[in-house]
Amino acid sequence: MNPWNSAAAEQQLQRTRRDFLLSSASGVGAAGLGALLSGDGLLGPQMAVADDAMGGAAASPLAPQSSHFPGKAKACIFIFMAGAPSQLDLFDPKPKLMELHGQKMPESLLKGVRFAFLKPDTATLMAPTERKWQRHGECGMELSDLLPHIGQCADDICLIRSLHSEQFNHHPGQLLMQCGRAQFGLPVMGSWLTYGLGSESQNLPGYVVLTAGRGSSGGATLWQSGFLPSTYSGVLFRSQGEPVLNLANPDGLPPSLQRKGLDVLREVNSRKYATMHDPEISSRIASYELAFRMQAAAPELIDLSGETPQTLEMYGVDRKDPSGGGRGSGGSSTYSTFARNCLLARRMVERGVRFINIIHASWDHHSNLDRELSWNAGMADQPIAALIQDLKQRGMLDETMVVWGTEFGRTPLGENRNGRAAVTGRDHHPYAFSMFLAGGGVRGGQVYGKSDEIGWGVAEDPVHINDLHATMLHLFGLDHLRLTYRFQGRDFRLTDVGGHVVEPLLA
């Protein structure tokens, strides 16, 4: 034996022992510190997940998590009307605008304002002359004649007339509404919520997306998880046919063989996770297992045969599309698809899904406003009202937040872009617009905030989109300042560097 080699080997052995003891001590200390911080709610959910004895991922990333404090809401159905409905024709009556119809707006209000298409030099004020307004419920909430069914839910609704944004084009505005900032690569609201709370559902995703109409400007960026692990992304469902594309086994693959293959994948991925501790590997394991369970759960979910005829009629599931859909139509069954989506959202909440996004496009009415807005409102009014009423009669509304939202509003000025002979629509308008919420701890039967007498800007109680997000998270028991994720050396949150809880919105 070479003595020099023996001495070198002994030195290497001693170094290895020291390294082992040092790293073990550090690991035990870090584990203890992590447990203390997690118990105090100072670590994000992804840092609180421990490894099992074999070194694999111990728990699903979507396992239920504790909130920062007791919350009233358990699930959210966010109905996103992409394209921006006209608040002046639906939610915010303006008698003064009727008086000033056809007149020029003061130049002082137009100074420095950017429009998508409108030419401010020749634009004139345009009142919703075709609309009639009616008070609803004990609260006396005024809504347009285009929303008679939603009007029946007025005492459960909190209507905000003072939303404002900085973005006047669709995709940036949609990113701001969904992500808290108009920037690519950020997690959306549904991802933040499932990251913070996990999901009660074992057999369906924690975050599901349902679409109708022609498709939104933002596309899949409106349900991305950004820098969060991909398990928190929205999963796009179809309301008919195969719920998720490629979910069913191909012909000739029996479930037993599929199960064996998944077991091998889990073992390989668990070994990789034990080495890399990459949360994306944990997401991969969870996704394979969830897809396996969804093969039975998803078809049962979209099977409406167990619903009563009265329920199907209440939602309007069998309605046919009228003519004149324009930009709101995505084919020959938009009315039916949207109604099914609303009913499916209720069924998902019953099965523990945390966040459901119902997206319909488009409400971008630069022209043909009266005809196409009437078509879209007719599509949305009955099913949304049915959803609120259905949740309430089942005792689910108190813990389910229903939100009607959009990226911005429409101008009180009629659009006059070049080449248009008549003013028949409205341009984009981020300075004052309307949304409403119901259930989930929201104080219904109230109108919060006020726009000015022509609907140009906010006159009272402004609510920024970051404020809306902070309030929604609060109702789920989450402090928007503490719900963070560290990425590239910075702690990110849904509300970015803004946001405050709007206390009057809370029941």
Side-chain angles (χ1 to χ4, degrees):
M1 179 181 293
N2 188 324
W4 295 106
N5 290 347
S6 178
E10 179 64 22
Q11 185 178 20
Q12 178 63 35
L13 179 61
Q14 293 296 330
R15 185 182 302 114
T16 302
R17 287 171 179 165
R18 286 195 298 272
D19 291 344
F20 170 76
L21 292 172
L22 179 61
S23 61
S24 297
S26 300
V28 171
L33 177 61
L36 291 172
L37 292 176
S38 179
D40 289 338
L42 298 177
L43 284 184
Q46 88 287 359
M47 307 219 21
V49 176
D51 296 342
D52 63 21
M54 299 301 293
S60 166
L62 285 174
Q65 304 284 344
S66 298
S67 57
H68 297 141
F69 49 85
K72 294 184 178 180
K74 303 298 182 186
C76 179
I77 302 170
F78 194 106
I79 305 167
F80 188 65
M81 301 305 191
S86 170
Q87 77 284 0
L88 298 170
D89 295 81
L90 296 175
F91 300 113
D92 198 359
K94 293 297 171 191
K96 189 66 175 180
L97 189 58
M98 297 294 289
E99 295 179 20
L100 300 176
H101 177 72
Q103 297 185 28
K104 294 273 292 181
M105 198 167 77
E107 293 186 7
S108 58
L109 292 179
L110 295 173
K111 187 176 181 180
V113 174
R114 298 176 67 189
F115 295 98
F117 299 105
L118 185 147
K119 308 300 179 186
D121 293 342
T122 57
T124 59
L125 293 166
M126 185 175 79
T129 54
E130 299 298 317
R131 303 277 61 85
K132 294 179 175 60
W133 299 85
Q134 182 178 349
R135 294 190 179 274
H136 296 273
E138 294 182 5
C139 64
M141 183 181 295
E142 278 191 283
L143 296 173
S144 161
D145 57 348
L146 293 178
L147 302 174
H149 292 89
I150 290 175
Q152 297 174 14
C153 305
D155 291 331
D156 294 309
I157 286 174
C158 173
L159 174 60
I160 307 173
R161 288 178 175 161
S162 56
L163 264 293
H164 63 98
S165 166
E166 302 83 42
Q167 301 299 328
F168 70 98
N169 273 327
H170 293 294
H171 199 171
Q174 291 171 8
L175 287 172
L176 178 60
M177 177 56 72
Q178 298 291 340
C179 307
R181 285 177 64 190
Q183 179 180 326
F184 288 114
L186 298 177
V188 298
M189 185 188 332
S191 298
W192 277 111
L193 197 58
T194 49
Y195 160 72
L197 293 178
S199 175
E200 299 292 338
S201 177
Q202 298 298 311
N203 301 320
L204 293 169
Y207 174 18
V208 175
V209 180
L210 299 163
T211 63
R214 61 184 290 163
S216 64
S217 302
T221 65
L222 303 187
W223 55 86
Q224 64 186 355
S225 62
F227 47 70
L228 291 177
S230 59
T231 194
Y232 302 115
S233 293
V235 177
L236 183 63
F237 265 53
R238 302 192 304 169
S239 61
Q240 299 185 58
E242 191 176 6
V244 179
L245 291 177
N246 305 312
L247 182 64
N249 282 343
D251 294 339
L253 179 63
S256 58
L257 184 58
Q258 182 194 20
R259 181 66 263 174
K260 289 180 180 179
L262 288 173
D263 291 341
V264 172
L265 279 173
R266 181 179 179 86
E267 181 179 354
V268 172
N269 283 324
S270 295
R271 290 177 181 176
K272 190 70 172 178
Y273 180 84
T275 303
M276 303 293 294
H277 294 277
D278 182 353
E280 197 57 37
I281 299 174
S282 181
S283 294
R284 188 182 309 156
I285 296 171
S287 294
Y288 285 139
E289 296 297 329
L290 177 60
F292 182 75
R293 297 191 300 273
M294 281 173 58
Q295 287 181 332
E300 183 276 334
L301 168 73
I302 68 167
D303 180 6
L304 304 184
S305 61
E307 298 289 343
T308 66
Q310 292 80 8
T311 298
L312 298 177
E313 184 178 357
M314 179 172 69
Y315 279 88
V317 169
D318 295 324
R319 297 180 306 165
K320 304 298 183 184
D321 288 1
S323 61
R327 296 179 63 84
S329 176
S332 60
S333 60
T334 304
Y335 268 50
S336 175
T337 299
F338 188 84
R340 287 179 64 91
N341 286 349
C342 289
L343 178 52
L344 287 173
R346 189 219 79 204
R347 291 171 62 86
M348 288 179 188
V349 171
E350 288 178 314
R351 288 156 178 77
V353 177
R354 182 73 68 187
F355 194 94
I356 301 105
N357 233 160
I358 301 176
I359 300 176
H360 172 263
S362 172
W363 297 69
D364 189 22
H365 297 132
H366 293 277
S367 58
N368 301 320
L369 173 65
D370 287 324
R371 177 166 56 86
E372 294 190 17
L373 182 64
S374 297
W375 195 94
N376 277 5
M379 175 212 66
D381 179 48
Q382 179 181 339
I384 293 175
L387 174 62
I388 295 172
Q389 293 164 349
D390 198 10
L391 290 169
K392 187 174 182 178
Q393 70 185 14
R394 293 170 186 266
M396 299 167 60
L397 186 60
D398 288 344
E399 294 187 342
T400 305
M401 182 188 300
V402 179
V403 183
W404 161 305
T406 183
E407 61 263 41
F408 41 67
R410 312 301 294 196
T411 58
L413 294 165
E415 185 163 326
N416 61 341
R417 74 169 85 176
N418 293 334
R420 296 291 172 91
V423 175
T424 59
R426 302 183 187 275
D427 204 357
H428 309 165
H429 192 72
Y431 308 113
F433 61 103
S434 302
M435 292 177 54
F436 72 74
L437 302 87
V442 171
R443 184 163 72 88
Q446 67 162 328
V447 174
Y448 183 81
K450 184 179 180 180
S451 62
D452 61 33
E453 60 184 2
I454 61 170
W456 180 261
V458 174
E460 295 178 9
D461 300 321
V463 178
H464 189 269
I465 291 170
N466 293 150
D467 302 328
L468 175 70
H469 289 163
T471 306
M472 291 174 64
L473 291 177
H474 180 87
L475 288 166
F476 277 90
L478 295 171
D479 183 344
H480 73 107
L481 299 176
R482 295 167 60 192
L483 183 64
T484 62
Y485 189 94
R486 195 159 189 83
F487 176 68
Q488 294 184 343
R490 175 189 165 185
D491 290 331
F492 283 82
R493 54 187 172 93
L494 173 61
T495 51
D496 192 36
V497 295
H500 72 275
V501 176
V502 186
E503 297 288 343
L505 304 188
L506 311 180

